[in-house]
């Protein structure tokens, strides 16, 4: 879970922030700096990489830098491109301004939105091998020709590529779950229509189940080379985080600092990944975990991963989150269309003027990112769960009350054991399954008065928690008697 930020007209820095501005005046001076920078052609790059558009069009190139032209629109095609308008600020930002920027993400409930992102693996139907980069190019061009993907504007639905070629839909910030589910279904229809003609299939799962990391095509982007070089220095599983995993995530808003704190704590205390473990295979055989994707994060650059125990401190808020973020080592800087290796350098040193003036990326929404990739039904169920739990005041308070006396040791124990034992993880006088059942009931109660009974988006999750059998365990059962080899 992370504190992030949308871009787009409904999530811009001048959005309503009545409950936060009085305490964090830095947002005003920060906005002034942005406006001044615009007049000089200088824009701060705040767009999160996972929400950057990949505009498929003719003119795709292997280095991701070629510009194509179609129907009068010039577009750049790149694998998960960096912020296109990110350039150098004229002067460093202060800590107060960074805190103020996070506070500027507060918005009234009527402006809350739901953003859903999901990744999936593409493979050749005949050989089951991962898609080659040239096939990805063909697929993107096909989507462009048939469905006009090059006309995407910022803040709308977009397609991007992860380091190992995982195909990602970055959904638009939408008002209802019906819109979110319709968006997902439309995307899957479009991808299937083009991919089937190419002999390409897609798999919804949390970790590449068959092929070695060395067999996975690497997207030609400078930042991935920097990450490849740095990751082995900060964890034994870092390279496995870059290439083989797929995730489903939900992006949600908050109306005040207090609201952010409550949602952050609820999301950390009870992560839904226990119910949607879906990555039990590595290199064609069981790997000993129900969620290998989650296990990887236990030894992947722990400077920027983990349970964040400070979130449960009485002093936690926007300022404390900024303090944490300032001490997380950087990876790179994107300047003049080149990636500059800053791996391991301190952003706090940059703030103190000990490093060159660099572009800043801060983000202002809550990202629930704990779920393995899965089939289309789960793509609608997960946002239904998180919206029901965190956007409804009664449900949110229920889960906070339930988890209020959980200790840091207990939370860490769950984090360590759930990837292997899922809902069967012992917890206090029972199993985590029993906790999950109560939490899903809280989420379902939030929809009681809504016209969501047909379809009931939570059925997929309800079935898992009621039976205690995760998707990974169902997959493992399918391999019984086959020599445990795919």
């Amino acid at each position: 879970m992370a504190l992030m930020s949308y871009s787009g007209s409904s999530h811009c820095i001048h959005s309503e922030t009545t409950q936060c501005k009085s305490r964090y005046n830095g947002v005003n001076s920060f906005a002034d700096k942005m406006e001044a920078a615009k007049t000089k052609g200088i824009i701060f790059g705040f767009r999160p990489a996972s929400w950057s558009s990949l505009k498929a069009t003719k003119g795709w190139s292997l280095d991701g830098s070629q510009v194509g032209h179609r129907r009068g629109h010039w577009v750049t095609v790149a694998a998960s491109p960096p912020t296109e308008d990110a350039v150098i600020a004229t002067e460093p930002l202060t800590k107060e301004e960074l805190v103020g920027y996070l506070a500027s993400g507060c918005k009234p409930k009527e402006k809350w939105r739901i953003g859903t992102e999901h990744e999936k693996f593409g493979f050749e139907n005949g050989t089951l091998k991962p898609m080659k980069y040239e096939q990805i190019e063909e697929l993107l061009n096909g989507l462009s020709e048939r469905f006009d993907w090059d006309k995407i504007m910022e803040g709308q639905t977009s397609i991007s590529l992860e380091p190992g070629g995982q195909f990602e839909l970055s959904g638009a910030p939408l008002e209802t779950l019906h819109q979110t589910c319709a968006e997902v279904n439309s995307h899957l229809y479009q991808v299937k229509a083009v991919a089937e003609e190419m002999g390409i299939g897609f798999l919804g799962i949390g970790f590449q189940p068959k092929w070695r990391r060395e067999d996975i095509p690497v997207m030609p982007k400078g930042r991935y080379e920097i990450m490849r070089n740095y990751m082995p220095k900060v964890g034994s599983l870092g390279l496995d985080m870059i290439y083989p995993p797929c995730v489903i995530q939900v992006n949600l808003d908050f109306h005040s600092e207090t609201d952010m704190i409550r949602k952050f704590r609820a999301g950390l205390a009870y992560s839904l990944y226990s119910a949607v473990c879906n990555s039990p295979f590595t290199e064609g055989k069981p790997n000993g975990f129900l969620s290998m994707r989650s296990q990887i994060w236990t030894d992947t650059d722990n400077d920027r991963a983990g349970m964040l125990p400070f979130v449960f401190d009485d002093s936690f808020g926007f300022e404390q989150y900024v303090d944490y973020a300032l001490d997380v080592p950087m990876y790179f800087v994107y300047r003049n269309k080149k990636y500059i290796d800053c791996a391991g350098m301190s952003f706090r040193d940059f703030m103190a003027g000990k490093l060159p003036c660099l572009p800043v990326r801060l983000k202002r929404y809550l990202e629930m990112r704990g779920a393995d990739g899965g089939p289309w039904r789960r793509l609608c169920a997960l946002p239904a769960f998180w919206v029901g739990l965190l956007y409804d005041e009664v449900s949110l308070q229920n889960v906070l009350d339930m988890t209020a006396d959980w200790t840091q040791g207990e939370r860490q124990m769950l984090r360590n054991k759930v990837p292997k034992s899922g809902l069967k993880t012992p917890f206090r006088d029972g199993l985590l399954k029993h906790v999950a059942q109560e939490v899903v009931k809280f989420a379902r109660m939030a929809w009681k008065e809504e016209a969501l009974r047909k379809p009931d988006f939570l059925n997929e999750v309800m079935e898992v928690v009621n039976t205690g059998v995760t998707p990974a365990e169902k997959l493992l059962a399918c391999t019984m008697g086959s020599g445990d080899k795919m």
Side-chain angles (χ1 to χ4, degrees):
M1 182 172 176
L3 188 60
M4 313 289 278
S5 170
Y6 293 122
S7 56
S9 60
S10 63
H11 298 85
C12 56
I13 196 166
H14 53 74
S15 60
E16 294 183 34
T17 57
T18 305
Q19 300 181 61
C20 296
K21 280 187 178 179
S22 60
R23 181 174 176 185
Y24 298 110
N25 294 324
V27 64
N28 295 318
S29 59
F30 184 84
D32 292 341
K33 282 191 177 183
M34 285 192 70
E35 291 303 317
K38 288 179 183 178
T39 63
K40 300 176 183 179
I42 300 172
I43 307 296
F44 294 97
F46 295 118
R47 185 186 310 158
S50 59
W51 281 62
S52 298
S53 295
L54 176 63
K55 305 175 180 68
T57 184
K58 294 180 179 178
W60 178 270
S61 65
L62 291 182
D63 63 2
S65 62
Q66 185 171 335
V67 176
H69 179 264
R70 188 164 74 88
R71 290 193 294 276
H73 297 278
W74 286 93
V75 294
T76 301
V77 181
S80 293
T83 305
E84 296 168 1
D85 54 6
V87 292
I88 308 301
T90 55
E91 55 184 289
L93 299 175
T94 67
K95 174 183 170 180
E96 181 187 34
E97 289 166 336
L98 301 183
V99 173
Y101 182 69
L102 291 184
S104 73
C106 301
K107 52 183 62 69
K109 188 169 184 177
E110 61 269 20
K111 291 192 176 181
W112 289 358
R113 297 293 182 265
I114 307 163
T116 303
E117 305 180 27
H118 78 272
E119 303 160 358
K120 48 200 169 293
F121 294 110
F123 61 92
E124 299 175 352
N125 288 329
T127 65
L128 303 183
K129 291 183 178 180
M131 289 178 66
K132 301 181 182 68
Y133 196 66
E134 294 77 11
Q135 292 170 315
I136 295 175
E137 171 190 359
E138 182 181 350
L139 177 60
L140 291 168
N141 286 335
L143 289 171
S144 174
E145 290 289 338
R146 195 173 305 185
F147 300 107
D148 292 341
W149 271 93
D150 62 333
K151 291 184 177 181
I152 294 172
M153 300 297 291
E154 185 60 33
Q156 295 181 335
T157 308
S158 63
I159 295 174
S160 60
L161 299 179
E162 293 300 300
Q166 301 96 318
F167 226 62
E168 178 182 12
L169 174 73
S170 295
L174 300 172
E175 295 184 29
T176 71
L177 281 173
H178 290 294
Q179 292 172 345
T180 294
C181 204
E183 174 189 63
V184 168
N185 289 337
S186 175
H187 166 73
L188 294 179
Y189 164 77
Q190 292 175 7
V191 171
K192 182 178 180 181
V194 177
E196 280 188 340
E197 297 173 359
M198 300 170 52
I200 296 295
F202 280 92
L203 179 64
I205 198 169
F207 195 81
Q208 168 57 252
K210 188 171 180 64
W211 299 103
R212 300 178 306 159
R213 187 174 67 223
E214 294 79 6
D215 298 322
I216 299 173
V218 179
M219 298 300 100
K221 209 61 183 173
R223 61 177 174 173
Y224 300 149
E225 181 178 356
I226 293 171
M227 294 172 69
R228 284 198 303 272
N229 293 334
Y230 182 68
M231 282 295 192
K233 301 175 183 178
V234 291
S236 64
L237 299 175
L239 294 180
D240 289 314
M241 184 280 296
I242 300 178
Y243 302 118
C246 278
V247 69
I248 304 171
Q249 61 192 48
V250 182
N251 307 318
L252 301 175
D253 290 312
F254 47 83
H255 70 77
S256 67
E257 183 177 41
T258 299
D259 188 42
M260 179 277 293
I261 294 170
R262 296 172 74 234
K263 289 174 178 174
F264 211 132
R265 289 174 177 170
L268 277 182
Y270 180 75
S271 180
L272 187 65
Y273 69 84
S274 61
V276 290
C277 295
N278 194 37
S279 46
F281 302 110
T282 302
E283 296 183 15
K285 55 188 177 184
N287 53 37
F289 294 90
L290 300 181
S291 178
M292 185 62 188
R293 184 200 60 81
S294 182
Q295 175 64 18
I296 284 170
W297 279 103
T298 63
D299 195 13
T300 294
D301 195 354
N302 287 329
D303 286 328
R304 67 186 70 244
M307 289 300 292
L308 306 184
F310 67 88
V311 171
F312 296 90
D313 293 344
D314 292 339
S315 61
F316 178 64
F318 291 131
E319 182 175 358
Q320 289 69 29
Y321 192 86
V322 168
D323 283 334
Y324 157 75
L326 288 176
D327 289 327
V328 173
M330 297 185 292
Y331 278 139
F332 58 83
V333 171
Y334 187 70
R335 178 184 289 177
N336 298 325
K337 298 184 179 181
K338 293 183 179 179
Y339 290 92
I340 301 172
D341 190 345
C342 296
M345 297 182 184
S346 167
F347 194 77
R348 191 178 292 276
D349 285 345
F350 153 64
M351 294 291 292
K354 297 179 182 179
L355 295 176
C357 185
L358 305 174
V360 178
R361 290 185 180 185
L362 287 183
K363 303 172 181 181
R364 300 176 297 164
Y365 62 87
L366 291 170
E367 184 179 73
M368 319 306 295
R369 55 198 307 190
D372 285 356
W376 72 266
R377 295 182 304 279
R378 215 165 297 145
L379 303 181
C380 299
L382 291 173
F385 170 81
W386 283 119
V387 170
L389 198 66
L390 301 186
Y391 273 9
D392 181 82
E393 181 61 30
V394 175
S395 297
L396 176 57
Q397 189 58 53
N398 282 339
V399 75
L400 288 172
D401 291 342
M402 170 186 280
T403 60
D405 65 343
W406 291 12
T407 67
Q408 172 58 24
E410 287 176 321
R411 291 191 295 267
Q412 189 62 52
M413 179 277 293
L414 291 174
R415 176 64 187 87
N416 294 341
K417 291 188 176 181
V418 164
K420 192 175 185 71
S421 52
L423 291 169
K424 295 179 177 64
T425 302
F427 185 70
R428 295 192 172 180
D429 296 329
L431 301 175
L432 189 58
K433 165 187 172 180
H434 305 130
V435 177
Q437 289 171 348
E438 289 301 309
V439 174
V440 174
K441 285 180 183 178
F442 295 155
R444 193 166 195 168
M445 286 171 59
W447 299 117
K448 188 174 182 180
E449 303 301 325
E450 300 289 335
L452 291 172
R453 309 308 296 171
K454 295 182 180 180
D456 188 336
F457 294 122
L458 284 173
N459 277 345
E460 176 79 4
V461 178
M462 288 293 297
E463 178 186 353
V464 174
V465 300
N466 285 337
T467 62
V469 180
T470 64
E473 290 167 297
K474 291 182 178 180
L475 290 176
L476 288 168
C478 292
T479 67
M480 298 295 291
S482 61
D484 288 339
K485 190 72 176 177
M486 298 177 69

